[in-house]
Amino acid sequence: MHDNQLTLDQIKPLADGRVGLAVLGFPINHSLSPHLHNAALAQLACHDEKFKNWKYGKVELAASDLGKALPKLWDCGYKGLNLTIPHKVEVLPLLSSIDPDAEIMGAVNTLVWKEDGWHGCNTDGYGLEAGLRESLSVELENAQVLILGAGGAARAAAAQCLKSRCKKIWLANRSIGRLTEVVHALSKTFGSKRIQSFQLDSLPSEVGNIKGLVIINATSLGLKREDLCPIELDGFDPSCKVYDMIYNPAVTKLLEQAKYGKMSHANGLSMLVHQAARALDLWTQGSVSVSSMYSGVRA
Ligand code: NAP
């Protein structure tokens, strides 16, 4: 297996001694994950020969094929998988076990091979917290956080903020049904006192006045250059810190607005790197170098 992209039919049993890792998603050709992981594996191989036989690839997989792909990849000798759009929530009933944190998040981005099937974990929440700290010097404890979106990434973000003792989260989404579902699930674990929700186009005016508010875009708005901005930042305090989970394109309309408003801002590259490093730690039981991942993605 090389860095190239496979389809479900092209997945074949790996040769003896080879270990496969892969990201599954649709679309998948934009994914930078193979660059990060293969650079870190090359670094690990400098200290331990066995990692020379580990390779990370990508599989283009429609939502309807996930149920067929997981047992096939397990049988073919794959030891770890990452999941991206649209699989993070839909995978839950297909797992043999799930990590308690991922269960709270209601979303899984990392699968670990076990004797009895795939074990689901979530490294997005960890990656976000580490990315916020690294890129914007944000500490979640006592922070007030506005999270845009209610999909898999937003669920992980919200649960991580609450777990890390933020003061309050403001959750905003386009569709009210999905928003209500997420608020209900989070309230069961964390109580409802620290959670406030509203529809994306009905932002309460008080939110813009919060000093030091951390604003996180966890919608997919911004992935395409023609996308609109998920919210308008004029009127927000310049002390706000804006993090867009999107990293490609590197500058979204939201980040342009943050720059115009003189707010600290960053794209989602640091989250991508830190969630990937944590996933590779889980698969290799190794100590993965974050800097090798940054070098891989820059190359
Ligand atoms: P998802 O489960 O498909 O959720 C998508 C979210 O975007 C939903 O809240 C959806 O709202 C909203 N949305 C989509 N189109 C919209 C529109 N036209 N107007 C308003 N809202 C819209 O996806 P996900 O897995 O959570 O990923 C979300 C984003 O985070 C993606 O851009 C992904 O690339 C990024 N991400 C980055 C990292 C990283 O490491 N940097 C990790 C994970 C995810 P509705 O509920 O109303 O449909």
Side-chain angles (χ1 to χ4, degrees):
M1 188 179 64
H2 302 289
D3 284 357
N4 57 347
Q5 192 168 310
L6 300 177
T7 60
L8 176 59
D9 291 339
Q10 290 167 334
I11 299 166
K12 299 278 180 269
L14 298 168
D16 266 359
R18 305 279 283 178
V19 173
L21 305 169
V23 57
L24 319 181
F26 193 94
I28 199 63
N29 46 338
H30 70 284
S31 174
L32 295 177
S33 293
H35 299 278
L36 305 182
H37 283 281
N38 287 323
L41 285 167
Q43 175 83 20
L44 287 173
C46 296
H47 305 287
D48 187 339
E49 287 258 312
K50 78 170 183 240
F51 292 114
K52 286 198 170 137
N53 289 322
W54 290 53
K55 282 283 174 289
Y56 187 109
K58 50 187 169 181
V59 180
E60 185 180 68
L61 193 75
S64 53
D65 285 334
L66 188 63
K68 273 186 241 155
L70 291 187
K72 185 171 185 186
L73 287 155
W74 190 89
D75 285 341
C76 286
Y78 283 74
K79 294 293 177 216
L81 302 173
N82 281 135
L83 302 173
T84 185
I85 295 175
H87 303 306
K88 287 184 185 180
V89 178
E90 284 64 21
V91 73
L92 294 175
L94 305 172
L95 301 173
S96 66
S97 55
I98 179 163
D99 183 73
D101 274 355
E103 193 151 23
I104 292 168
M105 289 170 183
V108 156
N109 77 330
T110 301
L111 304 187
V112 182
W113 187 97
K114 297 261 180 193
E115 291 284 345
D116 60 347
W118 291 110
H119 175 72
C121 306
N122 195 313
T123 66
D124 278 339
Y126 166 84
L128 173 68
E129 184 163 6
L132 285 171
R133 187 176 290 129
E134 182 181 283
S135 303
L136 296 175
S137 305
V138 163
E139 291 300 333
L140 288 178
E141 188 165 1
N142 288 324
Q144 296 215 53
V145 188
L146 169 59
I147 299 170
L148 310 174
R155 288 177 86 121
Q160 190 72 26
C161 290
L162 292 164
K163 193 177 136 201
S164 295
R165 300 197 294 275
C166 70
K167 190 169 174 188
K168 192 170 205 172
I169 60 167
W170 305 78
L171 260 179
N173 197 45
R174 173 182 60 176
S175 69
I176 205 76
R178 215 169 179 191
L179 181 64
T180 312
E181 216 177 278
V182 175
V183 172
H184 181 69
L186 291 170
S187 302
K188 277 207 279 185
T189 306
F190 298 103
S192 56
K193 270 196 188 150
R194 293 185 292 150
I195 308 171
Q196 196 103 8
S197 64
F198 54 90
Q199 232 170 334
L200 201 52
D201 56 5
S202 325
L203 190 80
S205 54
E206 67 198 277
V207 178
N209 297 329
I210 299 171
K211 300 263 185 266
L213 179 72
V214 180
I215 302 171
I216 299 171
N217 179 32
T219 74
S220 39
L221 264 183
L223 280 175
K224 291 185 245 134
R225 296 214 180 257
E226 66 271 22
D227 280 348
L228 296 172
C229 203
I231 51 165
E232 295 302 313
L233 291 180
D234 45 301
F236 276 71
D237 197 89
S239 63
C240 291
K241 297 188 170 193
V242 183
Y243 193 83
D244 199 327
M245 285 195 189
I246 293 171
Y247 53 85
N248 187 10
V251 183
T252 59
K253 291 199 175 85
L254 184 71
L255 294 182
E256 276 169 8
Q257 283 201 22
K259 186 175 177 197
Y260 185 75
K262 301 195 169 23
M263 300 165 193
S264 305
H265 56 280
N267 69 27
L269 186 64
S270 51
M271 173 179 176
L272 178 79
V273 165
H274 285 281
Q275 64 75 29
R278 174 55 70 98
L280 197 54
D281 273 344
L282 290 170
W283 298 322
T284 60
Q285 313 291 319
S287 182
V288 173
S289 140
V290 166
S291 63
S292 64
M293 288 199 157
Y294 272 115
S295 312
V297 77
R298 289 197 179 108

